[in-house]
Amino acid sequence: MGLLQFLKRIEPDKKKNPLLHTAYDAFFTFAYTPNRVNKGGVHIRDGMDLKRLMVHVVLAMQLCYLFGTYNIGHQHFVAAGQYLGFLDGFHLKLAHGLIKMLPMFVVTHVVGLGIEFLFAAKKGHEVEEGFLVTGALIPLIMPPDLPLWILAIAVAFAVVFGKEAFGGTGMNIWNIALLTRVFVFFAYPGEISGDSCWVSGYDSLAAGSTAEYGWWHTGFFNSIFGAFGWPQFAAAKTMVVDGFSGATPLALAYQGGMEAIQQHYTMDQIFWGGIPGSIGETNKPFIILGALFLIFTRVASWRIMAGMVLGVGVTGMLFNAWGFNAFMMVPWYYHYVLGSFLFAMAFMATDPVTASGTNKGKWIYGFFIGVVGLVVRVLNPAYPEGWMLAILFMNSFAPLIDYFIVQSNIKKRTSRV
Amino acid sequence: MIAMAFLLNSFLVFGQGAITPNWVMYSILGVLIVSGLSALVGLTGKLIEMEGQKHGIQLQHEGWFTKLLNQFTGETKSSNHHKLSRGFDILLNGGISDYTIVARPVSRVALKPQNFVGISPIPKVVVEVGQNVKAGDEIYHDKKHPEIKYTSPVSGEILEVRRGEKRAISEIVILADKDQVYRKFSVPSADADRAALVNFLCETGAWTWINERPFDIVPHVETTPKNIFISTFDSAPLAPDNNLVVAGQEADFQGGLNVLARLTSGKVYLGLDGSKKTQLSPAFTAASNVEIHYFSGKHPAGNVGVQIHHIAPITGSDKVWTMNVQDVIALGKLFRTGEVNRRRVVAITGNEVKKAQYVSTYCGASIAELTQDNVQSGNIRFVSGDVLSGKQVAADGFMNEGDDQLTVVTEGDFYELFGWLLPISPRPSVSGTYPNRFFPNMKFDANTNTHGDKRAFVVTGQYEEVLPMDIYPQQLFKAILSQDVEQMEGLGINELSEEDVALCEFVCTSKQPLQQLLREGLDYMRTEA
């Protein structure tokens, strides 16, 4: 218990230095669960608390992190026509992925947690855990080459206006991670839409443009790789090959339906990842594993996920029946693995704060995310993917769904005589 | 049917035409076929029912859709067997394996006026310290309701009147005689009118054994309850088995039920354990003058509030009464002998007890005497009642009014390194984040640590999962916080009492004090009414 005594001794004064105390308290409760006991109500409590809940969501997306980081590097070299096998040039791909991913992760947390700490100190609260999950989600839903200053502004906007303005964790109306993304989407559309943003490390994807490497590539990693005698990063040799577009399957589907997709990607590729896209969403098996983990541990609501699957299925079938254009004719079951449906289902829609609060409402909420998301995906040429907008849209409607469910319960009770 | 035929036709046309039929068509057709068939079945059922009514036969008819819906929402309702799927059993160490009752007549017992909701803080104590009383003599009464007397459970000498904050009377301690002396009351005859009956109950103090819902108060003397409910089993952690308690007192239990039946304009309902795990006492299964309902499911299936909700829910300004099994027995005894005999079987349980056992003692017995030489040393907590809805009592304190269980658990005032992250020691949890998700029958040592800090409501739906009632608890608590009386009433606050939401409080990820909150809401409703 030496650590405990040490920590207790260095506790700063709360009145004199509130910010420092808040930071200390956050760290202390991170290290130790407090010695508080139940008073006045139940005498024993469930071992689950908000920290534990949040950390399990973060655990569930670790595989996505691993794959996403590596895939950043993979896409970089695929564009140059080098190391086309997925595991070829493993060290280079991983190094490039880390160079892109780590700064995003750090910036997200420095900005987001910094704001959390400031507000917690101002309000005299403890630091709440909400940002643990939000901060882990944000890098996964961004394109790999997003400038860090845009990321910082977006995170600051989402945390201040999306969350703290409403009163902190548990009070927000919209999903914070998606609010961050939607901010980038509308304020800097060039950075997050189109075909070129999903491949990192090049100024443009025009044929012949060479890779842009910084000190971390050429100085840090090259010296390590050189010491081992492994291939090194070489900007001059790494240039975009002819005919590479970087288009995502969904962008292709909009142009020519299933056929256009199959010209570029096999179904296996779409399922197993290794294709351009937002960092965390490309590998479906890992997302499914995460979703199953969340359901098994009862951390996330299976009702929302089931509702979404149902919503996409029904809408997809309707589109198939309608069959107006090539995209509508994409068989409905392919919509489950295309784009970021699974990622949105497992990690985005299940956020309990912004979802419907009643178990019945969760079915409706999930179902309509499925419907709206697919409508946006298939029918709207401006937005290749619909989940971000669908979830934010249904976030706004979740209180209304709850209102009707609660009112029907009240009506049932008052009419019972 | 015409529509169906039309659709079938168009379907066939589609089949031959350019557009191939797909899942949408199949599913629409499927839905139409199923609903058409069900309409047919429903119509037949209705006709049979009408035919039956002509011949004076009551047929219970429930459509398949209702049944399916009930399956979906987790409640199946047959006429008197209720299967509740929602709830959670907290399995703890310290249960009783030895089914014998040890006599432990303690020397000191106490009355605690504050156990009664809504009583004034300083009731009128009519005895003096040093005075001798018989069992059944009046000790105090509420100044607002002097007609309702609170009587002594034992004969003996008044030892002291303990006072708490603002001189409120916390305990009136009595030194019990070795040989009990009972005051003799003259029992009203079997055909006595209600007024005589109520008067007798008030004089003997038996009126205060009655619990009135909503609000969990001692009823006013004018009140006639709509129904009376008795739950014969307790599903709370480590709860005593009433089948053992009632053994040998079957006649008194039935006697008590007969008295209660005379007090209500409606029925007396008896809730029995329908899980078939234990052999039910004939006192319960063969009880007469009552309507028997079986409940199976996890805790809180044994809570009388849950049972009321499923038998005949409290509506509007209804008042219903409840009474626990041991008080029903005491009531039967009172009408048989004319004596107030409040001997009580108490289950002494918990992981800090050396030998968990049933003891026979008095109501309000001294904790120290009950647990003498039977608890572990160290930092422990005594709970009068179960770990969910019981109240903490001091080691030198007394059992609360009506409680039939004492739980002794470890005090959890210690720090735990990465306690939120690592499952260092197993602990009960509804979540699946602990390894014990794989061992559903694992039992735990309970401690009183909160396992985390209080937060705003974040997780939703988790209260619903453990409350087998058609109530939205989280929305109700928010209504209480905003003191919205109409919303509170509409969402069913009158159907709830602290013990019903105790499990919600247990599972709460945000560590909210829900029982306290509910009581605030109930108090607010009571003052508004």
Side-chain angles (χ1 to χ4, degrees), chain A residues 315-338:
Chain A
T315 321
M317 285 183 212
L318 280 173
F319 281 150
N320 285 175
W322 187 357
F324 179 69
N325 59 23
F327 204 165
M328 279 193 190
M329 289 307 282
V330 171
W332 59 274
Y333 38 87
Y334 281 129
H335 280 295
Y336 290 128
V337 290
L338 284 174

Side-chain angles (χ1 to χ4, degrees), chain B residues 374-393:
Chain B
N374 197 17
V375 287
Q376 313 286 353
S377 57
N379 203 355
I380 54 178
R381 177 185 290 199
F382 295 92
V383 179
S384 174
D386 62 78
V387 281
L388 290 177
S389 58
K391 296 272 177 297
Q392 181 174 6
V393 284

Side-chain angles (χ1 to χ4, degrees), chain A residues 284-367:
Chain A
K284 312 304 179 217
F286 287 168
I287 299 171
I288 292 172
L289 277 181
L292 289 177
F293 176 76
L294 290 179
I295 292 174
F296 179 77
T297 52
R298 305 200 183 100
V299 165
S301 167
W302 59 271
R303 291 182 177 85
I304 296 176
M305 299 196 203
M308 264 179 89
V309 169
L310 216 66
V312 168
V314 169
T315 321
M317 285 183 212
L318 280 173
F319 281 150
N320 285 175
W322 187 357
F324 179 69
N325 59 23
F327 204 165
M328 279 193 190
M329 289 307 282
V330 171
W332 59 274
Y333 38 87
Y334 281 129
H335 280 295
Y336 290 128
V337 290
L338 284 174
S340 52
F341 166 76
L342 285 169
F343 191 85
M345 177 197 80
F347 299 113
M348 289 300 173
T350 50
D351 169 18
V353 175
T354 52
S356 174
T358 52
N359 283 345
K360 245 183 239 168
K362 281 176 184 155
W363 280 100
I364 303 171
Y365 171 81
F367 183 82

Side-chain angles (χ1 to χ4, degrees), chain A residues 80-358:
Chain A
Q82 300 174 341
Y83 307 113
L84 288 174
F86 189 67
L87 292 176
D88 298 344
F90 185 84
H91 63 287
L92 290 174
K93 290 177 181 174
L94 190 64
H96 181 75
L98 285 174
I99 289 167
K100 290 290 165 189
M101 179 58 121
L102 281 178
M104 286 177 86
F105 191 83
V106 170
V107 165
T108 306
H109 280 82
V110 166
V111 174
L113 278 181
I115 294 170
E116 288 266 329
F117 274 68
L118 270 175
F119 271 89
K122 265 242 153 38
K123 290 193 281 189
H125 282 185
E126 295 161 63
V127 177
E128 289 160 337
E129 294 79 7
F131 200 76
L132 269 177
V133 169
T134 313
L137 278 172
I138 288 172
L140 288 184
I141 56 175
M142 293 298 173
D145 232 1
L146 188 73
L148 293 175
W149 63 272
I150 294 181
L151 183 68
I153 293 175
V155 169
F157 168 82
V159 173
V160 172
F161 291 99
K163 183 166 168 191
E164 301 303 345
F166 288 98
T169 302
M171 311 292 182
N172 49 307
I173 297 174
W174 296 288
N175 188 315
I176 307 302
L178 286 179
L179 216 54
T180 312
R181 195 176 197 276
V182 90
F183 180 85
V184 180
F185 193 86
F186 286 115
Y188 304 98
E191 304 291 345
I192 201 168
S193 50
D195 290 344
S196 63
C197 67
W198 312 109
V199 176
S200 65
Y202 300 100
D203 194 27
S204 83
L205 285 186
S209 61
T210 53
E212 293 177 325
Y213 291 141
W215 177 80
W216 284 103
H217 291 92
T218 52
F220 184 76
F221 279 113
N222 267 358
S223 62
I224 295 177
F225 297 155
F228 283 99
W230 293 345
Q232 300 178 346
F233 287 111
K237 279 192 236 159
T238 312
M239 54 182 99
V240 179
V241 291
D242 231 7
F244 182 83
S245 75
T248 60
L250 282 174
L252 294 168
Y254 194 77
Q255 289 156 16
M258 215 49 215
E259 275 175 33
I261 298 178
Q262 276 160 349
Q263 277 167 13
H264 285 79
Y265 304 106
T266 63
M267 237 28 231
D268 271 2
Q269 272 179 314
I270 290 172
F271 185 66
W272 288 100
I275 53 169
S278 293
I279 295 171
E281 52 96 341
T282 57
N283 186 301
K284 312 304 179 217
F286 287 168
I287 299 171
I288 292 172
L289 277 181
L292 289 177
F293 176 76
L294 290 179
I295 292 174
F296 179 77
T297 52
R298 305 200 183 100
V299 165
S301 167
W302 59 271
R303 291 182 177 85
I304 296 176
M305 299 196 203
M308 264 179 89
V309 169
L310 216 66
V312 168
V314 169
T315 321
M317 285 183 212
L318 280 173
F319 281 150
N320 285 175
W322 187 357
F324 179 69
N325 59 23
F327 204 165
M328 279 193 190
M329 289 307 282
V330 171
W332 59 274
Y333 38 87
Y334 281 129
H335 280 295
Y336 290 128
V337 290
L338 284 174
S340 52
F341 166 76
L342 285 169
F343 191 85
M345 177 197 80
F347 299 113
M348 289 300 173
T350 50
D351 169 18
V353 175
T354 52
S356 174
T358 52

Side-chain angles (χ1 to χ4, degrees), chain B residues 2 5 73 137 193 279 302 323 375 391 414 448 463 472 491:
Chain B
I2 296 165
T73 51
D137 276 345
D193 63 350
Q279 180 75 34
M323 200 183 248
V375 287
K391 296 272 177 297
F414 42 78
T448 64
Y463 305 155
Y472 291 102
L491 284 168

